Amino acid sequence: MYDFDQVINRASTACQKWDDLQKRFGVHDAIPMWIADMDFKSPPPVIEALNQRVKHGIFGYTSRPDSFYEAIIDWVNRRHHWQIDKKWIAPSPGILSALSLSINSFTQQGDKVIIQTPVYHPFSQIIKSLGREVVTNPLNLKNGRYTLDFDDLESKIDSTVKILVLCNPHNPVGRVWSLEELTMLGEICIKHNILVISDEIHCDLVYRGYKHLPFASISEEFANHSITCIAPSKTFNIAGLQTSCNIIPNEEIRDIFNQSINNQCIGSPNAFGIIAAESAYRYGEEWLEQLINYLQGNLDFVIHYFQENIPHIKVIRPESTFLVWLDCRELGLTPKELDEFMLNKAGVAMNEGYIFGVDGEGFMRMNIGCPRSVLEKCLCQIEGAVNFLCKA
């Protein structure tokens, strides 16, 4: 059994989550429940493989061995029942760099890119920074569950829409999109010749009763009109090693993507990232299964705690990710007031809902990838602050 209850001091390790509190929030003593990494040690086989590599003592330019690709292929087949080919794999330092390169390569200035809000906030930042136009296709929220709005999507499409960025599983609302939903989405995109870039970085962190379905695995036609972005970073808590891969079955699209990687001189791998990724995919599955069980326990604890003690805040139950989307609209606070309330009254640093789009106003995103004792302390502080607010 792995000990996910262990509280590990991450202060003074150049850890963004803990050491950048002052820079990001203007405080130094809040409980950090924001950026999406977990406060758990990575799987022991990953740590051991890295230790062995360190002992070698030489850290020169590195290539990607066949075993690296084989580990990815085996993992995707075993976990997601998708048989991919080695030549389809196009590595990149991270998924956001892949997204930026893809938008730059497959669109022109002034072209439109669709995102489905509320959604991971760097998507819109990247699109705008490249001089492209963001088109929002807001998700529908009904009875505590988000769904895709296909009528709105169709109404937003014209000849200048070139790309749709899909978040599957979705960050921050936690949906695992179904076969029916993905099929309808894909058919619309095929009809309008829209390239789908599917961010599937959270695909391995799915709760019991749900199953992740890679968009490109549904049909050959979907595969040939998409780029699928995956990484071991969220799954095994190795984001700092910056190793991702993009699965691109279409040879023409893949060649353009790889040329963009080479043109930017970002194709060389991180020596430790290669070792960690391969070790995680080969030997980290038992650890992952126990992690998912622990996260499920955290999620159940959070939902019950809010229902029993903080009913003014509603939890949008995620089907995946270690991120929880909190509906705080009943508190009656403006977006800025809500941020200040959580930070200064509750002493908890979370991601502000509005950064995920206007559809996120009145919400907060909380990271539950931490020991339960830390989570309990966080919830107790929120409870005390909310009780004081409601009595005022």
Side-chain angles (χ1 to χ4, degrees):
M1 294 291 292
Y2 300 104
D3 184 9
F4 296 106
D5 283 319
Q6 181 186 7
V7 177
I8 301 170
N9 184 1
R10 299 182 66 187
S12 302
T13 62
C15 163
Q16 284 189 42
K17 186 176 184 180
W18 290 81
D19 291 334
D20 284 5
L21 277 174
Q22 184 68 44
K23 177 181 177 182
R24 171 65 170 79
F25 294 97
V27 300
H28 66 275
D29 56 352
I31 301 176
M33 310 291 281
W34 61 296
I35 195 168
D37 73 7
M38 299 181 285
D39 292 326
F40 307 128
K41 285 187 177 181
S42 295
V46 172
I47 297 171
E48 177 58 27
L50 291 172
N51 282 334
Q52 290 300 317
R53 184 65 182 85
V54 167
K55 289 178 182 177
H56 183 266
I58 300 177
F59 314 113
Y61 294 116
T62 301
S63 61
R64 297 179 180 90
D66 287 342
S67 57
F68 167 76
Y69 293 96
E70 291 165 0
I72 296 169
I73 292 168
D74 291 346
W75 180 265
V76 172
N77 185 35
R78 187 168 67 253
R79 297 292 295 191
H80 306 298
H81 309 292
W82 184 23
Q83 185 63 54
I84 63 174
D85 193 293
K86 175 186 174 183
K87 65 184 179 184
W88 298 355
I89 300 173
S92 64
I95 287 178
L96 290 181
S97 60
L99 176 62
S100 178
L101 287 171
S102 297
I103 292 173
N104 200 45
S105 298
F106 300 107
T107 65
Q108 302 295 323
Q109 291 275 327
D111 282 345
K112 297 175 182 176
V113 179
I114 295 177
I115 59 175
Q116 295 168 310
T117 54
V119 74
Y120 187 46
H121 51 95
F123 288 178
S124 61
Q125 295 170 357
I126 289 170
I127 295 165
K128 292 174 183 177
S129 72
L130 294 171
R132 278 59 169 175
E133 182 178 341
V134 174
V135 176
T136 59
N137 169 221
L139 303 177
N140 285 326
L141 175 59
K142 186 177 180 180
N143 298 323
R145 191 168 190 261
Y146 282 90
T147 56
L148 298 170
D149 189 335
F150 297 108
D151 291 336
D152 180 79
L153 175 60
E154 290 262 30
S155 73
K156 300 284 180 66
I157 295 174
D158 60 29
S159 61
T160 62
V161 174
K162 303 299 183 183
I163 287 175
L164 181 143
V165 183
L166 174 66
C167 199
N168 178 37
H170 194 281
N171 171 13
V173 310
R175 272 300 314 278
V176 176
W177 303 118
S178 68
L179 173 61
E180 180 183 14
E181 290 169 314
L182 292 174
T183 300
M184 291 180 66
L185 182 73
E187 288 175 349
I188 291 171
C189 290
I190 294 293
K191 181 173 70 173
H192 295 282
N193 195 30
I194 297 171
L195 177 67
V196 175
I197 303 176
S198 188
D199 174 1
E200 304 190 7
I201 195 170
H202 290 281
C203 64
D204 300 315
L205 294 164
V206 175
Y207 293 110
R208 309 303 179 193
Y210 300 97
K211 182 68 178 176
H212 171 73
L213 181 64
F215 173 81
S217 72
I218 294 173
S219 72
E220 184 176 355
E221 193 171 29
F222 286 11
N224 283 322
H225 286 81
S226 64
I227 297 172
T228 301
C229 307
I230 67 170
S233 52
K234 304 298 183 187
T235 309
F236 301 105
N237 212 27
I238 53 174
L241 297 179
Q242 298 189 331
T243 300
S244 301
C245 68
N246 309 281
I247 305 170
I248 314 175
N250 185 305
E251 183 177 6
E252 181 180 357
I253 294 174
R254 186 171 64 249
D255 287 346
I256 294 172
F257 180 90
N258 283 330
Q259 188 59 54
S260 296
I261 289 283
N262 292 334
N263 289 345
Q264 295 295 320
C265 300
I266 57 173
S268 298
N270 178 310
F272 295 105
I274 295 298
I275 295 292
E278 181 177 341
S279 300
Y281 283 142
R282 288 196 182 281
Y283 310 114
E285 196 158 18
E286 179 184 354
W287 179 91
L288 175 59
E289 291 297 332
Q290 292 187 32
L291 169 68
I292 292 172
N293 287 337
Y294 191 85
L295 291 174
Q296 182 72 67
N298 273 1
L299 177 60
D300 293 342
F301 179 78
V302 166
I303 291 173
H304 181 264
Y305 197 101
F306 274 103
Q307 288 176 341
E308 294 297 315
N309 304 292
I310 323 173
H312 291 291
I313 297 177
K314 303 295 189 293
V315 178
I316 305 300
R317 179 185 285 272
E319 300 165 355
S320 175
T321 82
F322 49 85
L323 306 167
V324 173
W325 192 233
L326 301 176
D327 185 349
C328 306
R329 291 175 294 178
E330 284 187 25
L331 297 180
L333 302 174
T334 67
K336 288 293 185 181
E337 288 172 343
L338 178 60
D339 300 340
E340 293 173 1
F341 171 77
M342 288 296 182
L343 190 63
N344 299 318
K345 302 300 183 183
V348 178
M350 293 187 278
N351 287 109
E352 310 90 340
Y354 60 80
I355 67 174
F356 299 90
V358 294
D359 315 280
E361 291 183 359
F363 292 78
M364 301 292 286
R365 192 190 75 171
M366 182 172 68
N367 180 344
I368 64 169
C370 61
R372 200 155 302 150
S373 61
V374 176
L375 186 58
E376 184 174 11
K377 181 181 180 183
C378 164
L379 296 179
C380 285
Q381 292 182 192
I382 295 174
E383 179 187 3
V386 170
N387 285 343
F388 184 84
L389 174 70
C390 292
K391 290 177 182 177

